[in-house]
Amino acid sequence: MPHALTGIFPVVITPFHDDDTIDWDGYEALLEWYVAKGASGLFAVCQSSEMQYLSLQERRDLARFTVDKIAGRIPVVASGHVSASEDDQKAELRAAADAGVDAVVLVTNRLDQDQTGGSTLTDAITQLLGALPSDLPLGLYECPAPYRRLLTDDELTFCAQSGRFAFLKDVSCDLDTVKHRLDLTRGTPLAINNANAAIAWPAIQAGGHGFSGVMNNFHPDLYRWLMDHGANHPDLADELNTFLVLAAMSEPMGYPKLAKEYHRRIGTFKSTHSRTVPFDIFDRFWGLSPILDQVMTGADRFRARIAAL
């Protein structure tokens, strides 16, 4: 069965001015950068967007702005699903739907907040579906904040067989789990998009439908090359994979402010201000600047090798 939402899906960060307001010019430049770097689609209003620190109005505005500026060139999905109460969750999911996105993404830890198990998650999904247009595709996101809630096999099967869900952003970070989930959902509309850079290439080789990890904020074009051409150039693909895995080890060093520093350096926008990471990442993580230098240099070297093929 063909899948509608596959490929390289960056998790969109939110540029702020130093006064804590959204930098809309910088955000537009960022969207164009993703498109130019080969993004297959965009996941807006997610954890990387600092959605837990955005007002409902800001989440709505970001989703609408993204849809308007992308203008159908690639799919846009959005979440903003952060609240505890069912009524608030319905309001924020309707806000994403009203923005005109191609799919609204449900966060799994909001569907079973006390980790009760049983039918809690599927019952919550059933309740929320009534608040959303019946023809609107949906996604699932095992967001790590405030805690990671992985889907059980039964829950995943329920969602896949419902026909309402177009993709899962898989945060299992485990290749065997990804392979198992691919088997469980085979023949359904639900695509499995891995989010972990350490297994990105082997997950793609195993038949995974995409990569939606945070390192798409640095070099999505290299992941796109892996997905489109890696099988035809296995030696270079293996070398590139090693670089990408090692580069991703920088993620715990102040992301998403780290990604904002990268975009400040390349001129996408000016400020690295972050609501999620209020501290100076270079004071906290000694030697971070040369690490980022090497990530950027290494990526450019692989781009040159790819261009020379």
Side-chain angles (χ1 to χ4, degrees), residues 66-140:
T66 307
V67 169
D68 288 347
K69 295 302 178 181
I70 291 300
R73 288 176 287 172
I74 54 178
V76 174
V77 306
S79 182
H81 185 199
V82 301
S83 296
S85 80
E86 182 181 314
D87 287 344
D88 289 343
Q89 290 185 36
K90 288 179 178 178
E92 58 202 7
L93 293 172
R94 280 195 295 262
D98 291 345
V101 297
D102 295 283
V104 171
V105 183
L106 279 60
V107 171
T108 54
N109 64 48
R110 300 295 83 202
L111 303 171
D112 184 14
Q113 296 172 53
D114 297 324
Q115 304 189 64
T116 306
S119 65
T120 302
L121 184 140
T122 54
D123 288 346
I125 287 176
T126 301
Q127 289 296 319
L128 291 174
L129 289 183
L132 296 169
S134 60
D135 59 345
L136 176 67
L138 303 173
L140 293 157

Side-chain angles (χ1 to χ4, degrees), residues 92 113 158 164 178 305:
E92 58 202 7
Q113 296 172 53
F158 170 86
R164 290 296 309 274
V178 171
R305 293 177 65 182

Side-chain angles (χ1 to χ4, degrees), residues 161-240:
Q161 294 183 352
S162 73
R164 290 296 309 274
F165 290 89
F167 76 97
L168 164 67
K169 182 178 175 182
D170 175 287
V171 189
S172 67
C173 303
D174 180 77
L175 183 59
D176 287 339
T177 299
V178 171
K179 291 178 178 178
H180 178 60
R181 288 173 162 186
L182 288 168
D183 288 338
L184 282 178
T185 57
R186 204 172 309 279
T188 76
L190 195 150
I192 305 297
N193 289 12
N194 161 58
N196 180 245
I199 61 169
W201 177 224
I204 291 169
Q205 290 175 298
H209 302 114
F211 176 62
S212 188
V214 302
M215 297 308 291
N216 281 330
N217 280 297
F218 298 83
H219 30 245
D221 54 320
L222 297 182
Y223 288 105
R224 179 65 185 264
W225 182 85
L226 267 183
M227 189 153 195
D228 291 351
H229 306 290
N232 296 324
H233 304 276
D235 291 339
L236 180 55
D238 285 344
E239 286 187 59
L240 175 57

Side-chain angles (χ1 to χ4, degrees), residues 293-307:
D293 290 341
Q294 290 301 314
V295 169
M296 296 173 72
T297 299
D300 284 341
R301 286 174 177 164
F302 274 102
R303 289 182 180 117
R305 293 177 65 182
I306 288 168

